[in-house]
Amino acid sequence: MDDIVQAHDLTFRKMITAEQIAERVQEMGTQLARDFAGQHPLFLVVLKGAYIFAADLLRACPIDQELAFVRLSSYQGTRSSGTVRMDLEMTATVTDRQVIIVEDIVDTGRTLEAFRQKLLADDPADLKIATLLHKPEAQAFDLIPDYVGFTIPNEFVIGYGLDYDEAGRHLPAIYQRTDT
Ligand code: IMP
């Protein structure tokens, strides 16, 4: 796959290879399996961006588990919009459960913080966050992800589920914007 890709009007260059992602996701799955063995955790996958990460992560985590999806969004184009929409009502019950939110990226943290507060109101036994990418420089909310695949600079990225206005999700590697 090319090191430079185009998505709409922007150009991106490869930042993390598919091999590096596969290796790291395997490690994260192994760690989660160790931490949650025998607890039947509920993995709450945030759509759409985390769908590829979740598919790989959960197959790397060979323990008894449950899966649910939720749709949150605060992004339009390459900027966080500032308001969080929860598009899908969640059907899973979190009360007294070991819950792990699976995210593609923690940027400002606004989306996750809003979601986390909503979940905490339902008294989960435990609430953890697993994210493939973390941009600590962009973080504006006091939220520390428990499982992080890669810490990256404050650049807009696409690939492996992440998009720029729906472009680039299918790319097997992570690409960063070149023209900022
Ligand atoms: P936050 O609320 O600012 O942390 O934004 C989190 C959400 O915005 C993520 O779940 C992504 O869907 C999206 N997002 C944040 N940064 C990026 C990026 O660099 N590329 C693509 N989507 C992003």
Side-chain angles (χ1 to χ4, degrees), residues 74-75 80 103-105 107-111 135 156-157 163:
S74 75
Y75 250 69
S80 196
E103 253 290 24
D104 52 354
I105 188 163
D107 184 11
T108 65
R110 177 184 293 113
T111 316
K135 291 185 197 171
F156 189 77
V157 294
D163 73 304

Side-chain angles (χ1 to χ4, degrees), residues 29-135:
T30 302
Q31 192 184 346
L32 283 162
R34 212 183 295 127
D35 293 352
F36 290 92
Q39 298 183 56
H40 192 65
L42 170 66
F43 286 98
L44 272 187
V45 179
V46 181
L47 294 173
K48 299 176 190 172
Y51 78 111
I52 294 181
F53 172 47
D56 287 342
L57 182 69
L58 300 199
R59 283 179 295 176
C61 181
I63 56 168
D64 187 27
Q65 56 182 259
E66 189 181 332
L67 171 69
F69 295 98
V70 64
R71 175 91 192 266
L72 311 173
S73 94
S74 75
Y75 250 69
Q76 279 166 344
T78 63
R79 295 212 182 285
S80 196
S81 71
T83 47
V84 178
R85 287 201 330 258
M86 300 204 189
D87 287 347
L88 253 192
E89 268 312 304
M90 224 187 43
T91 48
T93 309
V94 303
T95 308
D96 294 331
R97 300 289 308 271
Q98 317 287 335
V99 179
I100 304 154
I101 302 173
V102 180
E103 253 290 24
D104 52 354
I105 188 163
V106 177
D107 184 11
T108 65
R110 177 184 293 113
T111 316
L112 260 194
E113 186 51 26
F115 185 43
R116 213 174 67 89
Q117 292 304 335
K118 188 173 150 67
L119 291 180
L120 285 173
D122 286 336
D123 290 323
D126 191 11
L127 182 58
K128 295 280 196 277
I129 296 167
T131 184
L132 178 69
L133 303 174
H134 184 205
K135 291 185 197 171

